[in-house]
Amino acid sequence: MRLLPGVVEILERLAPREDITLALLTGNWEPGARTKLSRFDLNRFFPFGAFGCDGVDRSDLPPVALDRAERLLGRRFLPEEALIIGDSLYDVSCARDNGIPVLAVATGRTPAEALEEAGADWVIPDLEAAARSVPWLA
């Protein structure tokens, strides 16, 4: 495993903001996801989320995450108030299936062109480019 450039920096910028709530949405089961994140001390950024153990299909997970956000924060979040950041066609499809905007990061195995064709709202080469390309992430 390797930590990609810009991950910690963007999480450290977003975590203290009162207008943003961070959550993890992944196809990994929670114990595996938490183990992966712990290697880089990233669990501290994600107090809750939705995981592979919460649904058969990744597209089942956003409603779980939104419900958990409501229970934790006491207010309902609409899909258009959320943002999925991911690097795969599964992430783009999951977002599209739930009416959630998606920022695709071309650091995985999927080329930027394929992420664009799949319907990502924004495609960036890496998270270091996020502040330059998506101003509200700065």
Side-chain angles (χ1 to χ4, degrees):
M1 290 185 348
R2 65 186 171 97
L3 184 60
L4 295 173
V7 171
V8 172
E9 293 79 7
I10 199 165
L11 290 171
E12 286 177 340
R13 276 199 314 268
L14 296 177
R17 288 181 51 176
E18 291 185 18
D19 62 328
I20 291 178
T21 299
L22 297 175
L24 183 66
L25 192 146
T26 178
N28 291 290
W29 282 46
E30 186 170 9
R34 294 293 183 188
T35 298
K36 287 179 179 181
L37 292 176
S38 70
R39 183 167 181 185
F40 303 105
D41 190 30
L42 298 178
N43 280 307
R44 62 192 162 114
F45 296 109
F46 304 107
F48 70 98
F51 305 87
C53 48
D54 293 318
V56 176
D57 186 273
R58 191 172 311 198
S59 291
D60 297 336
L61 302 181
V64 173
L66 292 171
D67 287 344
R68 289 183 177 151
E70 181 177 11
R71 284 198 306 274
L72 182 69
L73 301 168
R75 97 166 183 73
R76 185 73 188 157
F77 290 86
L78 300 172
E80 57 270 17
E81 294 177 288
L83 173 69
I84 290 180
I85 300 174
D87 66 359
S88 75
L89 295 176
Y90 294 116
D91 298 320
V92 176
S93 174
C94 169
R96 290 283 134 250
D97 290 348
N98 287 278
I100 297 173
V102 59
L103 170 64
V105 186
T107 52
R109 297 181 179 166
T110 309
E113 299 77 27
L115 295 166
E116 288 172 4
E117 290 173 11
D121 295 288
W122 303 273
V123 178
I124 57 175
D126 55 51
L127 286 176
E128 289 180 313
R132 295 187 307 272
S133 304
V134 187
W136 40 266
L137 287 178

